[in-house]
Each structure stands twice: as C-alpha cells, then as structure tokens.
Amino acid sequence: MRLKLKTVFVLYFTVSLLGLIYALMQLGQRCDCTEHDAARDRTISRLRGELHSLREQMKKPEPTNPPKPALPPTIHVITPTYTRLVQKAELTRLSQTLLHVRQLHWILVEDSPHKTVLVSEFLVRSGLTYTHLHVPTPRESKLQEGDPSWLKPRGAEQRNEGLRWLRETAGGRQGAQLEEGVVYFADDDNTYSLQLFEEMRGTQMVSVWPVGLVGGMRYERPVVEQGRVVRFHTGWRPNRPFPLDMAGFAVSLRLVLANPDAHFDGDAPMGFLESSFLQGLVTMEELEPKADMCTKVLVWHTRTEKPKMKREDALQKQGLGSDPGVEV
C-alpha cells in the first residue's frame, strides 16, 4: 500500500511538472486567434451599423400627429315655436331628424314672454347642441281664434330674434374673420329629408330647392335653365320678388352677418314675408339651385291636424278630465 501511494504521487508530480514546462514553453509564442478576431470584427461592424441607424433617425423630424379633418360648416337651424297641444309632439319629430345631422346648432325661439318649462326640459333631454330664446309676438300681430293661417305672417319676431342672436354671438366672436356656416329657417310642423341638410351645407349666398305640398300645389319650385334660376313654378302671384316658401331656401351666415339690417317684416303683405328678408341679400340671378337643379323634393310643408277635444271637454265638466300633471 505504501508503494502504491508513492507511485501515484510520483506520477501526479511528473504530470504536473510536464504541464508547467509546456506552459512556460508557450509563453512568447504567436497565438492563432483567427476565430476570436473574426467574432470581434463582427461585433464591431454590428455596433457601427446600429450607430449609423441611430444617427439617421436623429436627422429625421419628430413625428407629428396627422392633422384633423376640417369640420364641415355649421348649419344653424332657427325654429319658431308656440304653446299648443301638439307642440311637444312636433318638436320631438323635428329634433329626432336633426339628431342625424352632423355639425348642427338648433336655435329654438318660443313665442312667449318667458321660457316655458316644457320646452326648457325638452331641449335638455334632446341631445342636440341648442340655444333657447324667447320673444312674444305683439297682440295686434297674432292670429285670433278662427282666423285663417294665411291672414297674417307668423314667426317673424321669433326668426328675427334668432338672427339677432347669431349676429351678436357669431359676429362678436369672430370679429373681422366671419364664421363659416349656413342659416336655415325650419318650422316645427314640416317634414325634412336628411339629404336636404347636406345639400344646403355648401351655400355661398342663398341656396334654393323645391317644397312639396305647399300653396295648394303638389310642389312649388324655382325653375332652372343652364344652371340658373329664371322663374318660379307657383300657383299664386309668381311675380313676387321671391315666391318661395320659408322651407325652400338657406342663407350663408357670412351673408347674414354682412347685412345687419336684413330681417323679416312682420307687417309684410300676405305671401311677402320671405321676400322682405331675401330682397336685401340677393338677386334672383345669384340664387344657388340645389336638389338636382331643383328637380327633387326634400322637404314637405306638412301640418299636424288640430286635435279635437270634444270628449276631453265633456269629462272636464264632470270633473273627470285627464290629469293636467301628465305632460303631453
């Protein structure tokens, strides 16, 4: 056993010594580092490429958010309204049409010495961008019970109030740079196609189109030849300056602001209310025909039948009438 341990020790010492001698012999001799140098060169080349890419990116301008598309001109819809049994029903119908029109501002003007609760709460729930105004029609200008609807102009004071608000608000806000937009007078008992509002949006001065079921006719309309209005298809006094229905035209807001005296004359003769406003703004030759050169009807002069309250009146006399707290 002692001999074996000695033999192992001698062998271990011999091997270690030979290893040391070999290591000393290698000192100072040239090392073959080809693979090591190649890996180093590849790393340096990659880093130089990344540095070049970073420098190129630094030269490029900072990315900016893409410009937002310009909003279309706002359509300002001026609507006169007055208290009656069908008022809320008709405002509901009109408002739900207007909800589908982009970039629209509803100016609702009550024929009243104050804002009513019904209309105020209705507008809050409407979902529309709106302005709520009020101005009463003078008693002498109001239709009396039993008067035909055509006897006196209606809504003149309310439309003028809407124009006044626009001139004070839009004109004052923009100063010398007048706001782009369109003004349309929409009664609350008419029926409107959504296409009509897109037709009028590009109005430069005064745009015009047909109106259905008006003046005792299937429709009234401007007659267009070679792109210009030359006369009007109407059954009553076609020689009026502008024999148009209120629903048959729209006016550029810029034109309204540039002509502060243009207004509706509440004392105008029957059928001349529209002319009293338009003749201070434009000539017939300057009218802009829309709706496929005034060959398509996109608005109708409909009216809601006045409700007959015979049974309600009878129940009221018996003290059994409908609860006045339920808003109709």
Side-chain angles (χ1 to χ4, degrees):
M1 176 65 69
R2 186 180 298 175
L3 179 60
K4 288 182 179 179
L5 287 174
K6 184 177 179 181
T7 302
V8 171
F9 176 78
V10 171
L11 287 173
Y12 177 80
F13 178 80
T14 302
V15 171
S16 299
L17 181 60
L18 290 173
L20 177 61
I21 293 170
Y22 179 79
L24 291 172
M25 291 174 65
Q26 294 298 315
L27 290 175
Q29 292 190 14
R30 187 177 183 86
C31 177
D32 185 6
C33 301
T34 303
E35 289 300 323
H36 175 73
D37 290 344
R40 181 195 63 190
D41 291 344
R42 285 195 297 269
T43 301
I44 293 174
S45 177
R46 178 177 58 79
L47 292 173
R48 284 176 175 170
E50 292 177 359
L51 180 61
H52 177 73
S53 297
L54 289 171
R55 285 174 175 170
E56 290 299 316
Q57 290 179 17
M58 291 175 66
K59 292 178 182 178
K60 295 179 181 179
E62 288 290 327
T64 56
N65 294 327
K68 294 182 180 179
L71 291 173
T74 299
I75 299 176
H76 302 275
V77 176
I78 298 177
T79 300
T81 188
Y82 64 98
T83 300
R84 60 202 190 278
L85 274 175
V86 298
Q87 182 184 28
K88 186 177 180 181
E90 294 192 318
L91 290 177
T92 297
R93 179 176 56 192
L94 176 55
S95 69
Q96 292 183 1
T97 296
L98 300 182
L99 274 171
H100 295 281
V101 183
R102 56 183 180 150
Q103 203 64 17
L104 181 138
H105 172 211
W106 195 16
I107 304 174
L108 191 60
V109 190
E110 289 196 74
D111 185 351
S112 171
H114 53 79
K115 296 178 181 179
T116 65
V117 173
L118 184 149
V119 174
S120 297
E121 293 182 350
F122 172 84
L123 285 172
V124 168
R125 296 190 298 266
S126 70
L128 289 160
T129 298
Y130 68 87
T131 295
H132 185 188
L133 305 174
H134 65 94
V135 62
T137 299
R139 180 173 177 78
E140 61 274 13
S141 300
K142 277 183 174 290
L143 290 173
Q144 303 303 312
E145 188 69 29
D147 287 346
S149 60
W150 47 260
L151 185 62
K152 296 177 181 178
R154 294 180 297 166
E157 288 79 8
Q158 290 72 42
R159 296 184 185 98
N160 288 334
E161 178 67 8
L163 290 171
R164 180 201 62 76
W165 185 91
L166 276 174
R167 285 169 174 141
E168 289 186 2
T169 305
R173 181 173 65 247
Q174 295 295 330
Q177 295 181 344
L178 302 181
E179 180 185 340
E180 297 295 333
V182 182
V183 181
Y184 182 51
F185 303 96
D187 290 347
D188 58 7
D189 57 352
N190 289 344
T191 303
Y192 304 89
S193 164
L194 294 178
Q195 183 183 342
L196 176 67
F197 297 96
E198 295 309 313
E199 291 276 339
M200 72 175 70
R201 201 181 293 275
T203 300
Q204 298 300 307
M205 294 182 71
V206 176
S207 55
V208 292
W209 47 80
V211 177
L213 310 177
V214 64
M217 300 180 62
R218 294 180 62 239
Y219 62 83
E220 292 183 339
R221 73 178 182 100
V223 178
V224 179
E225 294 179 1
Q226 298 181 351
R228 291 184 176 274
V229 176
V230 295
R231 62 183 182 278
F232 297 88
H233 175 68
T234 180
W236 187 76
R237 300 191 68 172
N239 294 326
R240 286 173 288 162
F242 292 95
L244 292 164
D245 184 78
M246 193 67 67
F249 65 91
V251 185
S252 160
L253 175 59
R254 186 181 297 272
L255 188 63
V256 167
L257 299 179
N259 293 271
D261 294 330
H263 69 285
F264 293 95
D265 183 2
D267 296 323
M270 181 179 64
F272 282 77
L273 184 61
E274 294 84 354
S275 295
S276 71
F277 174 65
L278 290 173
Q279 61 189 359
L281 297 175
V282 72
T283 64
M284 184 173 69
E285 292 75 19
E286 293 172 320
L287 295 175
E288 304 157 43
K290 302 291 185 179
D292 200 6
M293 291 298 162
C294 295
T295 61
K296 292 182 178 178
V297 176
L298 301 175
V299 56
W300 296 263
H301 198 270
T302 50
R303 290 182 180 175
T304 302
E305 181 181 358
K306 185 177 180 180
K308 296 178 175 63
M309 294 287 106
K310 182 187 298 185
R311 290 187 176 86
E312 181 70 37
D313 293 341
L315 288 173
Q316 288 283 359
K317 292 176 181 178
Q318 301 173 41
L320 302 173
S322 301
D323 182 356
V326 177
E327 187 177 273
V328 177

